[in-house]
Amino acid sequence: MNSEASASLLISCPDQQGIVCAVTDFLMRHNGNIIDLEQHTDTEEKAFFMRVEWELKEFNLPRDQISEKFRLIADRLQMKYELHFSDYRPRIAIFVSKFPHCIHDMLARWHSGEWQAKIPLIISNHPDLEPLAKIYGIDFELIPITKENKKKQKMRTLELLRDYNIDLIVLARYMQVLSDDFCRQYPHRIINIHHSFLPAFVGAKPYHSAHQRGVKIVGATSHYVTSDLDEGPIIEQEVMRVSHKDSVQDLIRKGRDLEKMVLARAVWAHLQNKVLAYKNRTVVFS
Amino acid sequence: MNSEASASLLISCPDQQGIVCAVTDFLMRHNGNIIDLEQHTDTEEKAFFMRVEWELKEFNLPRDQISEKFRLIADRLQMKYELHFSDYRPRIAIFVSKFPHCIHDMLARWHSGEWQAKIPLIISNHPDLEPLAKIYGIDFELIPITKENKKKQKMRTLELLRDYNIDLIVLARYMQVLSDDFCRQYPHRIINIHHSFLPAFVGAKPYHSAHQRGVKIVGATSHYVTSDLDEGPIIEQEVMRVSHKDSVQDLIRKGRDLEKMVLARAVWAHLQNKVLAYKNRTVVFS
Amino acid sequence: MNSEASASLLISCPDQQGIVCAVTDFLMRHNGNIIDLEQHTDTEEKAFFMRVEWELKEFNLPRDQISEKFRLIADRLQMKYELHFSDYRPRIAIFVSKFPHCIHDMLARWHSGEWQAKIPLIISNHPDLEPLAKIYGIDFELIPITKENKKKQKMRTLELLRDYNIDLIVLARYMQVLSDDFCRQYPHRIINIHHSFLPAFVGAKPYHSAHQRGVKIVGATSHYVTSDLDEGPIIEQEVMRVSHKDSVQDLIRKGRDLEKMVLARAVWAHLQNKVLAYKNRTVVFS
Amino acid sequence: MNSEASASLLISCPDQQGIVCAVTDFLMRHNGNIIDLEQHTDTEEKAFFMRVEWELKEFNLPRDQISEKFRLIADRLQMKYELHFSDYRPRIAIFVSKFPHCIHDMLARWHSGEWQAKIPLIISNHPDLEPLAKIYGIDFELIPITKENKKKQKMRTLELLRDYNIDLIVLARYMQVLSDDFCRQYPHRIINIHHSFLPAFVGAKPYHSAHQRGVKIVGATSHYVTSDLDEGPIIEQEVMRVSHKDSVQDLIRKGRDLEKMVLARAVWAHLQNKVLAYKNRTVVFS
């Protein structure tokens, strides 16, 4: 057991009195030193959200008993919760097509140790980025998609994800739509990058549409994938100014930087267990 | 004649060789010292745009002959052009309803001399802001709009605009839609502020929609008004980050600052004669 | 008593176990429904900071007993704390010289009800803005400063501040330096706007310096005033892009918008009792 | 000869009448179709700057005669100028130490064809990034620096730069100061990234200083290297918001993204021949 490790709880429940008190009392009784606590009340929805992180060093509950003991409080307050340990390394599968900028950026972050995660698997519908996977010693699975093989390839993909024990799927400019059924198997565990400021310019060729409309700012959006294309809960967005001087090609070039930044920030927040999705929105703790 | 004054030409024409040369040669032959020259070629549309500003001090053509003489060049190169003089004070009419933040900001800029313009007229469908108009000694015309009186009030409004020799109409959160017919009488001379990052969240209550969608950034858009609501050429946009902590009320409050800034920047660009609209987009010279 | 009112505690203390628990337990025992709770641990300084806000409606301690009862907890945990009520209207004195943009903006916010505060007093070393004060019916005190009268005028100013029961002083581009002694009488209760991105370009004429250095971004900084000029704890900063095309005059013009925004945001945060200053830095709760 | 290629002139001279006219007339006489023209007048310095780009396809002067013919105009108007061809691939040497994020980002851009340049040489004072150089097949020269070997290593470095015909040196978080003498041999041809918003926080450990000062925004600055450390002409800057929650480690982590973006934008502008340095400032054409 890593003595520097911490645990965190991500909690959501109906708003009511005494929630923070109950949680912090639980931690104190077990000698847990709180490192970070953040809460949010959605007064309209009468919903309460909380993230609390504490040191495991002197905490007097073994890891495998925390959830069980906490359930007593959770049940009383109708909480949904997730328990995470900071020294667990989530296992990421990256899905790509041909554009290399997002995956390049992700691999550089992972390789330099910025991301506390494992990337054992890259899946692509094109062979182009196999050499990149090789450089980093990551398994590359070519799964080309046609109308005919779609179903079969989905099964194979899901099998791979299971075999590799994948926790998080990142669509790094993956040019295929995942089926409803697929999405439902990884709820809030598939992150996509869309190359526009959603909900503006959904669908294909958003930079062309942005140029056509003459906007003065373009953006990128990272969101959890749901069965509604481009409609999932937004995790992070960023924008940049453009002008009449920017051609569609300029937008595409400049946009790449937005895309890789926004995707990286969304993945970071997820890896830190700081994202709570509800009602097609997200609470992103800071 | 103001010896410090300058003249500027806003030019658009089919792209072709020799345009800059022809224009600068014309100015040089008349001893015009160029202060600023900016051009833009839209290679897709094969269209050329240019703004050139020069000192009038030693220019050896009288103001009232410039356009006539320039027409020879313009005709040869199929140019559309506008000629402006920097010491002319455009006459602005502000249309408001009840929200005071944009008009407050505009009047403060005008009053402190930031804007080289005149604001002789404020038109509103509500009496709320009449006292503000009084403070600044500006005529206030109350023109309430109902389904029944709509046509009559439009005629009255147009008459007022003519009587006051209005050059530019600014809709400073004016809560009425102008008729097609009205818009066509002031092409690229009506500036609106829309409280969203267009084309996201067109129509009413954009902050509610933004909150509902869970976006992480909200914006404001200033555009020329055309007969297509919220679809006119965009002049300026700006955004700011928001989070799950922001209620609709927070968005509305924070958004006011965006709205007044974006509107002011759009009006400034227009007053500097730096905006050229074409094909539902704008070239905004810097 | 306003039944919608809330109370908030701003707490700082040495970091230790059980702080959140102790505070939330105190509130729960008195039937306080927490609206917002935010905490921050500075692990380097081993310092803990917290803001908690709760509804007064069902809270079973009278307002005037809260502080006394809370002191028991505070003493045990070596806390410093401030108690605020949301329905108290802080009394602001604005200090100005000649530039109107910041005060214009502040008065518009106050007048439209955006700011839950009173502005009973404007103090200036120049008569220029007296008419503006008159418009809004605010007392205007002309206190010109010379080398000779400096001490006397300071005494008169302090007297005025006492007479008007001023809670917060806002220097809205006030062109005089307050004495050490003056600053010490209003610790973290004087907010200044400096027209640069501190610590770059301290002192006078920052836009000239920025232009000279050829920076591509300029900024503005709002901070609490301490006896070290331009060195007080920063509350808020904002920046904007500029280019080689911007003259010093352009920077000054564009900078005005930054200044008024940044100042307004800092004042807002202070009025919400969301700013905790320590060690020349601030914690600004969100 | 590439028929799609273009040529560009970067011109600076004392401000005077007829410059644009003279240059565009020269191009027209040789049948040059202007793609882009941008000019800037610094009225304070009475200096004029211009960039003009034209198609070579129908231009009736051979490449090697352009400069010679243009010199007649240049001499008359006291111009300094540079002539560039768009199909030339500048040769870049990257200097690094141990931090991989900037070089990773640069190599990804180069490898994907975003940058029209060659990167034949990486020089480092540490062996850490040699494997990365190998991956991309780029020569890696380890040149460790000590007090004793400094002079010798400088000579060796300069020799390598000559041998590789290097046009541009990029210091991608290179942790050594180049000597005056070295800098003078590559005027406006060495680009550095400094991890602060200059002129704030010059020198080492800027993130520590920023954290200490409690700023709410941090930045990065890319500039040409001159013999004055951190004082060269700024090409590009960018910033991001931070808060009291960000530790020095957070600033370092987040700052990496700023650094790589800002450096990439500066290199891009330089590669496009859009940067003109004068008087320790830059004109960056858009």
Side-chain angles (χ1 to χ4, degrees):
Chain A
M1 180 176 159
N2 180 345
S3 70
E4 294 300 304
S6 62
S8 62
L9 278 165
L10 266 182
I11 296 166
S12 57
C13 64
D15 193 23
Q16 57 204 292
Q17 235 172 276
I19 309 172
V20 179
C21 191
V23 176
T24 56
D25 179 65
F26 168 79
L27 295 177
M28 204 179 64
R29 277 187 289 112
H30 295 289
N31 207 37
N33 191 40
I34 295 174
I35 299 166
D36 196 32
L37 181 152
E38 210 173 338
Q39 61 92 47
H40 170 59
T41 311
D42 186 323
T43 50
E44 261 172 81
E45 310 279 353
K46 298 192 193 316
F48 178 89
F49 308 93
M50 181 172 168
R51 184 185 184 277
V52 61
E53 185 174 352
W54 69 97
E55 292 175 347
L56 284 171
K57 198 164 49 172
E58 319 234 309
F59 197 59
N60 61 25
L61 270 181
R63 288 187 184 208
D64 56 6
Q65 290 179 27
I66 298 174
S67 190
E68 185 190 337
K69 296 273 184 195
F70 186 70
R71 194 177 314 275
L72 300 172
I73 293 161
D75 285 350
R76 178 161 56 85
L77 298 168
Q78 296 168 266
M79 282 175 179
K80 284 186 214 170
Y81 68 92
E82 297 172 29
L83 175 67
H84 298 284
F85 298 106
S86 67
D87 52 5
Y88 177 71
R89 296 284 165 273
R91 298 171 64 82
I92 302 175
I94 304 178
F95 284 37
V96 276
S97 293
K98 293 180 166 186
F99 295 125
H101 54 288
C102 285
I103 191 171
H104 243 134
D105 188 66
M106 290 182 71
L107 295 177
R109 289 171 197 276
W110 162 74
H111 187 254
S112 66
E114 180 175 309
W115 283 358
Q116 308 285 302
K118 291 176 177 166
I119 304 182
L121 178 63
I122 293 170
I123 286 176
S124 183
N125 55 335
H126 292 286
D128 307 48
L129 293 168
E130 182 155 18
L132 187 66
K134 282 243 166 86
I135 283 171
Y136 288 100
I138 300 172
D139 292 353
F140 181 92
E141 292 286 339
L142 177 63
I143 305 189
I145 312 278
T146 61
K147 259 186 198 165
E148 291 70 33
N149 73 5
K150 219 170 178 180
K151 222 169 192 172
K152 204 190 71 184
Q153 298 295 52
K154 184 182 74 180
M155 299 315 290
R156 195 177 143 212
T157 304
L158 284 169
E159 204 176 285
L160 279 165
L161 296 173
R162 271 190 303 271
D163 289 350
Y164 279 85
N165 279 313
I166 294 304
D167 297 298
L168 176 67
I169 298 162
V170 178
L171 310 184
R173 299 297 312 274
Y174 181 62
M175 295 287 138
Q176 290 290 327
V177 177
L178 301 180
S179 70
D180 289 16
D181 163 42
F182 190 112
C183 295
R184 269 193 297 271
Q185 299 204 30
Y186 287 88
H188 305 143
R189 288 166 68 197
I190 312 174
I191 296 179
N192 184 42
I193 179 71
H194 182 76
H195 41 315
S196 87
F197 181 80
L198 289 176
F201 310 124
V202 296
K205 304 228 171 206
Y207 292 125
H208 289 76
S209 307
H211 187 260
Q212 186 64 27
R213 181 62 187 91
V215 293
K216 300 302 185 188
I217 286 174
V218 296
T221 303
S222 194
H223 61 93
Y224 285 125
V225 175
T226 60
S227 47
D228 287 324
L229 191 64
D230 298 338
E231 297 287 344
I234 293 169
I235 306 169
E236 173 66 344
Q237 301 186 291
E238 192 53 272
V239 297
M240 64 177 173
R241 297 192 76 81
V242 296
S243 83
H244 60 271
K245 294 200 121 189
D246 289 300
S247 66
V248 173
Q249 290 312 310
D250 291 324
L251 298 189
I252 290 171
R253 175 179 55 81
K254 292 180 174 182
R256 284 196 291 259
D257 283 358
L258 275 183
E259 294 162 28
K260 71 189 193 195
M261 284 298 157
V262 169
L263 181 58
R265 287 193 213 147
V267 171
W268 173 265
H270 182 95
L271 292 177
Q272 302 286 305
N273 303 306
K274 293 201 162 176
V275 190
L276 242 172
Y278 81 109
K279 292 204 128 216
N280 214 40
R281 281 179 266 169
T282 60
V283 171
V284 182
F285 293 109
S286 60
Chain B
M1 180 177 160
N2 180 345
S3 70
E4 295 299 303
S6 61
S8 61
L9 278 166
L10 267 181
I11 296 166
S12 57
C13 64
D15 193 23
Q16 58 203 292
Q17 234 173 276
I19 308 172
V20 179
C21 192
V23 175
T24 56
D25 179 65
F26 168 79
L27 295 177
M28 204 179 63
R29 277 188 288 113
H30 295 288
N31 207 35
N33 190 39
I34 295 176
I35 299 166
D36 195 32
L37 181 153
E38 210 172 338
Q39 61 92 47
H40 169 60
T41 310
D42 187 324
T43 50
E44 262 172 80
E45 310 280 352
K46 299 193 193 314
F48 178 88
F49 308 93
M50 181 173 168
R51 183 184 184 278
V52 61
E53 185 174 350
W54 68 96
E55 292 174 349
L56 284 172
K57 201 165 43 175
E58 319 235 307
F59 198 58
N60 62 24
L61 270 181
R63 288 188 184 207
D64 55 5
Q65 291 178 27
I66 299 175
S67 190
E68 185 190 337
K69 297 272 183 193
F70 186 70
R71 195 177 311 276
L72 300 173
I73 294 162
D75 285 351
R76 177 161 56 85
L77 298 168
Q78 295 168 270
M79 283 175 179
K80 285 186 212 168
Y81 68 93
E82 297 173 28
L83 175 67
H84 298 284
F85 298 107
S86 67
D87 52 5
Y88 177 70
R89 296 285 164 271
R91 298 172 63 83
I92 301 174
I94 304 178
F95 284 37
V96 276
S97 293
K98 292 180 166 186
F99 296 125
H101 54 288
C102 285
I103 190 171
H104 244 134
D105 188 65
M106 290 182 71
L107 295 177
R109 288 171 198 275
W110 163 74
H111 187 252
S112 67
E114 181 174 309
W115 283 356
Q116 309 284 305
K118 290 177 178 169
I119 305 183
L121 177 64
I122 294 170
I123 286 176
S124 183
N125 55 334
H126 292 285
D128 306 50
L129 293 169
E130 180 155 20
L132 186 66
K134 283 243 167 86
I135 284 172
Y136 288 100
I138 299 171
D139 292 353
F140 181 92
E141 291 286 338
L142 178 63
I143 305 189
I145 313 279
T146 62
K147 258 185 198 167
E148 291 71 33
N149 75 4
K150 221 170 175 179
K151 223 168 192 172
K152 203 191 70 184
Q153 298 295 53
K154 184 183 72 179
M155 299 315 292
R156 196 179 142 211
T157 303
L158 285 169
E159 202 178 287
L160 278 165
L161 296 174
R162 273 189 301 270
D163 289 351
Y164 280 85
N165 278 313
I166 295 303
D167 297 297
L168 176 67
I169 299 163
V170 178
L171 310 185
R173 298 298 310 275
Y174 181 62
M175 295 287 137
Q176 291 289 327
V177 177
L178 301 180
S179 69
D180 290 15
D181 161 42
F182 190 112
C183 295
R184 269 193 296 271
Q185 300 205 28
Y186 287 88
H188 306 142
R189 288 165 68 198
I190 312 173
I191 296 179
N192 184 42
I193 179 72
H194 181 76
H195 41 315
S196 88
F197 180 80
L198 288 177
F201 310 125
V202 296
K205 304 227 170 206
Y207 292 125
H208 290 76
S209 307
H211 188 259
Q212 187 63 27
R213 181 62 187 91
V215 293
K216 301 301 185 189
I217 286 173
V218 296
T221 303
S222 195
H223 61 94
Y224 286 124
V225 176
T226 60
S227 48
D228 287 324
L229 192 64
D230 299 338
E231 297 287 344
I234 293 169
I235 306 169
E236 172 65 345
Q237 302 188 289
E238 192 52 274
V239 297
M240 67 179 170
R241 297 192 77 82
V242 296
S243 83
H244 60 270
K245 295 199 121 190
D246 289 300
S247 66
V248 172
Q249 290 312 309
D250 290 324
L251 298 189
I252 290 171
R253 175 178 55 79
K254 293 180 174 181
R256 285 195 290 260
D257 283 358
L258 275 183
E259 294 161 29
K260 72 189 193 195
M261 284 298 155
V262 169
L263 181 57
R265 286 194 215 146
V267 171
W268 173 264
H270 182 95
L271 292 177
Q272 303 286 306
N273 302 306
K274 294 202 162 177
V275 190
L276 242 173
Y278 80 110
K279 292 206 126 216
N280 214 39
R281 282 180 265 169
T282 60
V283 171
V284 183
F285 293 110
S286 60
Chain C
M1 179 177 161
N2 180 345
S3 70
E4 294 300 303
S6 61
S8 61
L9 277 165
L10 266 181
I11 296 166
S12 56
C13 64
D15 192 23
Q16 57 204 291
Q17 234 171 277
I19 309 171
V20 179
C21 192
V23 175
T24 56
D25 179 66
F26 168 80
L27 295 177
M28 204 179 64
R29 277 187 289 112
H30 294 290
N31 208 36
N33 191 39
I34 295 175
I35 300 166
D36 195 33
L37 182 152
E38 209 173 337
Q39 61 92 48
H40 170 60
T41 310
D42 186 324
T43 49
E44 261 171 81
E45 310 279 353
K46 299 191 191 319
F48 178 87
F49 308 93
M50 181 173 169
R51 184 184 184 278
V52 61
E53 185 174 352
W54 68 97
E55 292 175 349
L56 284 171
K57 198 165 49 174
E58 320 235 308
F59 198 58
N60 62 25
L61 270 180
R63 290 187 183 208
D64 55 5
Q65 290 178 28
I66 299 174
S67 191
E68 186 189 336
K69 295 272 184 195
F70 186 70
R71 195 177 312 277
L72 300 172
I73 294 162
D75 285 350
R76 178 161 57 85
L77 298 169
Q78 297 168 266
M79 282 175 179
K80 285 185 211 168
Y81 68 93
E82 297 172 28
L83 176 66
H84 298 283
F85 298 107
S86 68
D87 52 6
Y88 177 70
R89 296 285 165 271
R91 298 172 64 82
I92 302 175
I94 304 177
F95 285 37
V96 276
S97 293
K98 292 180 167 185
F99 295 124
H101 54 287
C102 285
I103 191 172
H104 244 133
D105 189 65
M106 290 182 70
L107 295 177
R109 289 170 197 276
W110 162 74
H111 187 253
S112 66
E114 180 175 308
W115 283 356
Q116 309 284 303
K118 290 176 179 167
I119 304 183
L121 177 63
I122 293 170
I123 287 176
S124 183
N125 56 335
H126 292 286
D128 307 48
L129 294 168
E130 182 155 18
L132 186 66
K134 283 243 166 85
I135 284 171
Y136 288 101
I138 299 172
D139 292 353
F140 181 92
E141 291 285 339
L142 178 64
I143 306 189
I145 313 278
T146 61
K147 258 185 198 166
E148 291 70 33
N149 74 5
K150 217 168 179 180
K151 223 169 191 173
K152 205 190 70 186
Q153 298 296 51
K154 183 183 75 180
M155 299 315 291
R156 196 179 143 210
T157 304
L158 285 169
E159 204 177 285
L160 279 165
L161 296 173
R162 272 189 303 269
D163 290 350
Y164 279 84
N165 278 313
I166 294 304
D167 296 298
L168 176 68
I169 298 163
V170 179
L171 311 184
R173 298 297 313 274
Y174 180 62
M175 294 286 138
Q176 291 290 326
V177 177
L178 301 181
S179 69
D180 290 15
D181 162 42
F182 190 113
C183 295
R184 270 192 297 270
Q185 300 205 29
Y186 287 88
H188 306 143
R189 288 166 66 198
I190 312 173
I191 296 179
N192 184 41
I193 179 71
H194 182 76
H195 42 316
S196 87
F197 181 79
L198 288 177
F201 310 124
V202 297
K205 304 228 170 206
Y207 292 125
H208 289 77
S209 306
H211 187 261
Q212 186 64 27
R213 181 62 187 92
V215 293
K216 299 303 184 188
I217 287 174
V218 296
T221 304
S222 195
H223 61 93
Y224 286 125
V225 175
T226 60
S227 48
D228 288 323
L229 191 64
D230 298 338
E231 297 287 344
I234 293 169
I235 306 169
E236 173 66 344
Q237 302 187 291
E238 192 53 273
V239 297
M240 65 178 173
R241 296 192 77 82
V242 295
S243 84
H244 60 270
K245 294 199 123 190
D246 290 300
S247 65
V248 173
Q249 290 312 310
D250 291 323
L251 298 190
I252 290 171
R253 174 178 56 80
K254 292 180 174 181
R256 285 196 290 259
D257 283 358
L258 275 183
E259 294 161 28
K260 71 189 192 195
M261 285 297 157
V262 169
L263 181 58
R265 286 193 214 147
V267 171
W268 173 265
H270 182 95
L271 292 177
Q272 303 285 305
N273 303 305
K274 293 201 163 176
V275 190
L276 241 172
Y278 82 109
K279 292 206 128 218
N280 214 40
R281 282 178 266 168
T282 61
V283 171
V284 182
F285 293 110
S286 61
Chain D
M1 182 176 157
N2 180 346
S3 70
E4 294 299 303
S6 61
S8 61
L9 278 165
L10 267 181
I11 296 166
S12 57
C13 63
D15 193 22
Q16 58 203 293
Q17 236 173 275
I19 310 171
V20 179
C21 191
V23 175
T24 55
D25 179 65
F26 168 80
L27 296 176
M28 205 179 63
R29 277 188 289 113
H30 295 289
N31 207 35
N33 190 39
I34 295 175
I35 300 166
D36 195 32
L37 181 153
E38 210 172 337
Q39 62 92 47
H40 169 60
T41 310
D42 186 324
T43 50
E44 261 172 81
E45 310 279 351
K46 299 193 193 315
F48 178 89
F49 308 93
M50 181 173 169
R51 184 185 183 278
V52 61
E53 185 174 351
W54 69 97
E55 293 174 347
L56 284 172
K57 200 165 44 176
E58 320 234 306
F59 197 59
N60 61 25
L61 270 181
R63 287 187 185 209
D64 54 6
Q65 290 179 26
I66 299 175
S67 191
E68 187 189 336
K69 296 271 184 196
F70 186 69
R71 195 178 312 277
L72 300 172
I73 294 162
D75 285 350
R76 178 162 56 85
L77 298 169
Q78 295 169 268
M79 284 177 178
K80 285 186 213 168
Y81 67 94
E82 297 172 28
L83 174 67
H84 298 283
F85 298 106
S86 68
D87 52 5
Y88 177 71
R89 296 284 164 272
R91 299 172 63 83
I92 302 175
I94 304 178
F95 285 36
V96 276
S97 292
K98 292 180 166 186
F99 295 124
H101 54 287
C102 285
I103 190 171
H104 243 134
D105 188 66
M106 289 181 70
L107 294 177
R109 289 172 198 274
W110 162 73
H111 187 252
S112 66
E114 180 176 309
W115 284 356
Q116 309 284 304
K118 290 177 179 167
I119 305 183
L121 178 63
I122 293 170
I123 286 177
S124 182
N125 55 335
H126 292 285
D128 306 49
L129 294 169
E130 181 155 19
L132 187 66
K134 283 241 167 86
I135 284 172
Y136 289 100
I138 299 171
D139 292 352
F140 180 92
E141 291 287 338
L142 177 64
I143 305 189
I145 312 279
T146 62
K147 259 186 199 164
E148 290 71 33
N149 73 4
K150 219 169 177 179
K151 223 167 192 172
K152 203 190 71 187
Q153 298 295 54
K154 184 183 73 181
M155 299 315 292
R156 197 179 142 210
T157 304
L158 286 169
E159 204 177 286
L160 279 165
L161 297 173
R162 272 189 302 269
D163 289 351
Y164 279 84
N165 278 315
I166 295 304
D167 296 298
L168 176 68
I169 298 163
V170 178
L171 310 185
R173 297 297 311 275
Y174 180 63
M175 294 287 139
Q176 290 290 328
V177 176
L178 301 181
S179 69
D180 290 15
D181 162 42
F182 190 111
C183 295
R184 269 192 296 271
Q185 300 204 29
Y186 288 88
H188 305 142
R189 288 166 67 197
I190 311 173
I191 296 179
N192 184 41
I193 179 71
H194 182 76
H195 41 314
S196 88
F197 181 79
L198 288 177
F201 311 124
V202 296
K205 305 228 168 206
Y207 292 126
H208 289 77
S209 306
H211 188 259
Q212 187 64 27
R213 181 62 187 93
V215 292
K216 301 302 184 188
I217 286 174
V218 296
T221 303
S222 195
H223 61 93
Y224 285 125
V225 175
T226 60
S227 48
D228 287 324
L229 191 64
D230 298 339
E231 297 287 343
I234 294 169
I235 306 169
E236 173 65 345
Q237 302 188 290
E238 192 52 273
V239 297
M240 66 178 172
R241 297 192 78 81
V242 296
S243 84
H244 60 270
K245 294 198 121 191
D246 289 300
S247 66
V248 172
Q249 290 312 310
D250 290 324
L251 298 190
I252 290 171
R253 176 179 54 80
K254 292 181 174 180
R256 284 196 290 260
D257 283 358
L258 276 183
E259 295 161 29
K260 71 190 193 195
M261 285 298 156
V262 169
L263 181 57
R265 287 193 213 146
V267 172
W268 173 265
H270 182 95
L271 292 177
Q272 303 287 305
N273 303 306
K274 294 203 162 175
V275 189
L276 241 173
Y278 81 109
K279 291 206 129 216
N280 215 38
R281 282 179 266 170
T282 60
V283 171
V284 182
F285 293 109
S286 60

